[in-house]
């Protein structure tokens, strides 16, 4: 139940140390669900929530460990050397890893953990890869303060 928008924002701007073209599009799950591969500007990345693990830790407090995938899509354009496309994918994966592991200022949470990765799809035109990450946070269910007292409401009873 913690927003992943700060993760999307972390991945949006090209880091100064990254050589080459950065993601043309970084978005969330709703955009990922509407992918049209024929009209997709690559490279692209999406942050897609995969699970929320919660546990009570006190009165109106819960620990929350959101898991999310960073889906990376690049063009499958074979170069002159075997393995060049895989090296390009690895370059993007390592950059995302570096950003999310805190070298560039992660959100105010416990460190983001890498949980592994997997192929989503390899086609003639493009490659889709997902790396799973998680982090721990604390959420609360504190009720808002009541409105300030400004008068007595008479209900017809006697004092």
């Amino acid at each position: 139940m913690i927003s992943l928008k700060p993760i999307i924002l972390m991945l949006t701007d090209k880091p100064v140390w990254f050589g080459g073209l950065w993601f043309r599009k970084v978005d969330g799950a709703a955009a990922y669900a509407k992918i049209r591969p024929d009209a997709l500007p690559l490279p692209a990345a999406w942050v897609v929530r995969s699970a929320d693990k919660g546990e009570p830790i006190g009165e109106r407090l819960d620990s929350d460990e959101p898991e999310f995938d960073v889906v990376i899509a690049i063009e499958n354009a074979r170069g002159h050397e075997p393995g060049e496309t895989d090296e390009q994918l690895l370059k993007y994966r390592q950059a995302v890893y570096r950003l999310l592991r805190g070298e560039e200022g992660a959100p105010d949470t416990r460190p983001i953990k890498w949980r592994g990765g997997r192929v989503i799809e390899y086609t003639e035109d493009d490659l889709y890869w997902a790396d799973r990450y998680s982090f721990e946070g604390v959420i609360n269910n504190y009720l808002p303060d009541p409105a300030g007292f400004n008068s007595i409401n008479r209900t017809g009873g006697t004092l």
Side-chain angles (χ1 to χ4, degrees), residues 47-103:
V47 177
V48 181
R49 185 180 307 273
S50 58
D52 258 340
K53 298 175 184 174
E55 184 177 321
I57 57 173
E59 185 177 345
R60 295 186 179 144
L61 288 174
D62 293 287
S63 69
D64 185 21
E65 187 174 354
E67 290 185 355
F68 60 94
D69 291 337
V70 176
V71 177
I72 297 171
I74 65 169
E75 291 181 31
N76 186 8
R78 181 169 173 146
H80 299 289
E81 301 278 330
E84 281 185 42
T85 304
D86 187 58
E87 288 298 312
Q88 183 183 8
L89 177 61
L90 182 59
K91 181 178 173 181
Y92 285 105
R93 291 181 64 208
Q94 289 172 334
V96 168
Y97 176 89
R98 185 173 169 186
L99 287 168
L100 294 183
R101 292 290 289 157
E103 292 185 32

Side-chain angles (χ1 to χ4, degrees), residues 22-26 36-46 73 75:
W22 190 242
F23 299 121
R24 293 181 174 174
K25 179 180 188 72
V26 178
R36 286 185 34 228
D38 58 323
L40 192 59
L42 296 180
W46 298 268
E75 291 181 31

